[in-house]
Amino acid sequence: MRGGYVGRFVLVCSILLTLASGEHGQEPVGETAPPPALSIVLFTNRPGVYDVAFHSLALQISDDYEVIVVDDGDPARRSHAMQLAKRLGINLQHIVRSKRKTSALSAKGGEANAVNTGLLLARGRAVTLLNDFTWLPPHF
């Protein structure tokens, strides 16, 4: 039975790699910006957590990054996060909830589910994962 899961996993990975490489025959619709050097996936479900990470991002010497926030907490916080990012000049591309879990055993998204959601949205040539309380040095 386990071999079936491995086979599906390999198939999904092959499809994702094909899509990521751009060899799937689809042309982009409209003009698309080149991907940033870095995609920063910040995941949280705790209240009042954007300040530390966002203020450290505002001090970066490079702006060749995008920020993807996966927030499984109160949806009302999204507008605060967008306002704070705009005020600090942070390139916030997405602020979303985790994708729905496919397991019937748990209704919670969980940290791994939040990371997977952020990775699906990331366009950068490299990706880094941040907890909500992470402070990045200016030369990150």
Side-chain angles (χ1 to χ4, degrees):
M1 185 73 176
R2 189 166 192 185
Y5 291 116
V6 172
R8 279 187 258 163
F9 176 76
V10 170
L11 175 64
V12 169
C13 288
S14 298
I15 291 169
L16 289 175
L17 287 172
T18 301
L19 291 172
S21 69
E23 298 173 1
H24 49 87
Q26 292 185 351
E27 295 296 322
V29 178
E31 292 186 34
T32 58
L38 182 64
S39 290
I40 300 169
V41 177
L42 186 144
F43 50 95
T44 184
N45 67 354
R46 299 182 304 163
V49 297
Y50 298 109
D51 293 346
V52 172
F54 278 16
H55 280 89
S56 71
L57 287 169
L59 298 174
Q60 295 302 304
I61 60 170
S62 172
D63 62 354
D64 192 12
Y65 66 87
E66 68 178 356
V67 177
I68 300 159
V69 173
V70 182
D71 186 347
D72 285 339
D74 183 8
R77 298 188 308 185
R78 293 182 188 166
S79 63
H80 168 71
M82 290 187 294
Q83 291 170 359
L84 181 60
K86 186 175 182 178
R87 191 178 83 228
L88 295 173
I90 295 169
N91 186 13
L92 178 62
Q93 290 297 307
H94 302 280
I95 182 164
V96 297
R97 292 185 62 83
S98 292
K99 65 181 182 61
R100 294 188 67 183
K101 281 191 91 156
T102 56
S103 170
L105 300 176
S106 174
K108 292 184 176 182
E111 193 172 291
N113 209 36
V115 168
N116 289 338
T117 300
L119 291 175
L120 286 172
L121 295 169
R123 298 181 317 117
R125 294 184 300 273
V127 178
T128 189
L129 306 173
L130 297 182
N131 289 324
D132 48 24
F133 51 82
T134 303
W135 179 267
L136 295 174
H139 296 284
F140 186 77

